[in-house]
Amino acid sequence: PTSGPTSGPTSGPTLAPNPTPTSGPTSAPTSAPTSGPTSGPTSAPTSGPTSGPTSGPTSAPTLSPVANDDKVSEVNGDPHFKTWKNEHFEFHGQCDMVMISDKHFADGRGIDIHIRTKIVRFWSYIQKAVVRIGNDILEIEGLPDFSASYWINYEHMGELTDLGGFPLSLNENSDRYTIDLGSLYPGVKIQVRTFKEFVGVKVLGATETSFGNSVGIIGDFHTGNTYARDGSTVMNDFTELGNEWQVLPSDGHFFHEISKPQFPEKCMLPENPQGQRKRRLGESTVSEEQAEAACAGLEDEFSRKGCVYDILATQDLDMVGAY
């Protein structure tokens, strides 16, 4: 009686349940969920999007190709600078300055981001920005009527397709230009935004692979230190730093027209900016409290502080739109 019933029931229940609970559920939950919290198993799920910078970004797959330690640098307003270490400073001189430069960027194509500032009374603002990648150059300016104004390879309002092989687009409001570096550096973008005459430049999701070797006024990618051109002298006087990173002939002149001052003439500085600012605030029609209230909804401290300063400087509550 034993040989009959045993061979039947044993082969059925044993073979059926085993593959289902073991090979099915185990392989799925292990490879999928561990990509977020663990650094080891990420090789499987992240092999697609993070083929380039896997060493850094895989630790935080929430944004797929971008990691928690990815960095943002920014210049905005009149003008406010954010270093790779998220530290903030201001420089109110007028001249062309090197924000970012790296001759080895994108397999030797190289990148340069220069900004041009202009003095108004006791403050200055970013009037134009230029981005060069490889042989392509994009120059952007802000206009009072909010309309778009740019030059692509020195052609005013030419067709925007790519910059150095990276997709280039302008949004529907004509106030944000995006250079998507994702084909080589997953998750990394450069955005240039305009608001009236003001121009801002932001690098999003920067990694060691993409901007680790860059130099410029926003500082060293690894330490956040604001170095002189020698790469070793730390400069904490931001007036000196601004003059240090004034565009030199060796940096290349990428704007379609020359504007004073140009080296060897130093950056122009407003006379006694703090004193004039205090006098101006005494005549203000917009109070600091009103400015703070207008900027309260902005996400980060850099934007809120810059926004308040810009509103007080321009006496225009609409300046919150620049952020």
Side-chain angles (χ1 to χ4, degrees), residues 5 20 32 177 232 247 286 303 310:
T20 306
Y177 304 76
S232 58
V247 170
V286 176
S303 297
D310 290 353

Side-chain angles (χ1 to χ4, degrees), residues 81 89-93 95-98 217 229 235 237-247 267 269:
F81 296 82
F89 67 92
E90 295 175 0
F91 173 66
H92 291 288
C95 56
D96 296 348
M97 286 172 278
V98 177
I217 195 171
R229 286 178 178 266
M235 303 188 75
D237 182 315
F238 299 120
T239 298
E240 292 182 3
L241 181 69
N243 277 298
E244 178 74 4
W245 286 103
Q246 180 183 11
V247 170
C267 301
L269 298 175

